[in-house]
Amino acid sequence: MRDTAQMNFSTESGGLRVSRHDDPARYELHDGDELLSFAPFTESDGVMTVPHIETLVQHRGHGYSEVLMDALVDDLRSRGLRIEPTCGVVRRHVRALPDADELMVR
C-alpha cells in the first residue's frame, strides 16, 4: 500500500473520493474502487505544477474533472501552496475562483 494523504468528499449521488498520492505524484478521483479522473503534479518551493487533468474516456461528460479540481484546490489552500497550471482546463478552473490571484503563479 502506498503512502496517501486522503481527502474524502461525498456527493449527492454517492461516495466519490479524492486522494493525493505523493508516490506517484498525482491526485485521483474514485467511485468506490473505480478510477474516474486523475491529475499528476510536481511540487517545488511552495508551488504545485499541474500539467494536465485526465478523465477516463468512459467517464467523460459527468463533471468529474471539476470535482477533482475543487478537491485539489482545497488541498492547496490547506497546505499554503500556490499552483502553476500548465493545462488549459486547470488554468480556467483556477482563474474562475475568487482567490485566483492569490493561488496562481503567473
Side-chain angles (χ1 to χ4, degrees):
M1 183 176 228
R2 58 187 168 179
D3 292 333
T4 303
Q6 188 166 304
M7 305 169 291
N8 293 317
F9 292 86
S10 295
T11 65
E12 292 179 18
S13 63
L16 296 179
R17 183 182 78 251
V18 174
S19 303
R20 185 188 78 238
H21 300 277
D22 293 331
D23 183 26
R26 75 182 198 169
Y27 286 84
E28 297 177 352
L29 173 65
H30 286 88
D31 185 1
D33 291 334
E34 188 171 9
L35 178 65
L36 305 174
S37 186
F38 64 91
F41 67 88
T42 58
E43 191 177 315
S44 179
D45 298 324
V47 175
M48 181 178 287
T49 302
V50 181
H52 69 277
I53 188 168
E54 184 172 334
T55 299
L56 297 162
V57 173
Q58 66 270 30
H59 299 297
R60 292 181 183 164
H62 299 284
Y64 292 135
S65 63
E66 295 271 330
V67 173
L68 181 58
M69 280 303 306
D70 286 342
L72 187 154
V73 168
D74 286 347
D75 187 43
L76 288 176
R77 287 181 181 126
S78 73
R79 297 170 60 213
L81 299 175
R82 297 181 71 204
I83 187 168
E84 182 176 8
T86 57
C87 163
V89 172
V90 175
R91 188 177 309 109
R92 281 188 298 279
H93 187 90
V94 175
R95 280 186 179 154
L97 300 171
D99 58 346
D101 289 339
E102 297 164 19
L103 285 173
M104 199 160 46
V105 174
R106 301 212 184 258

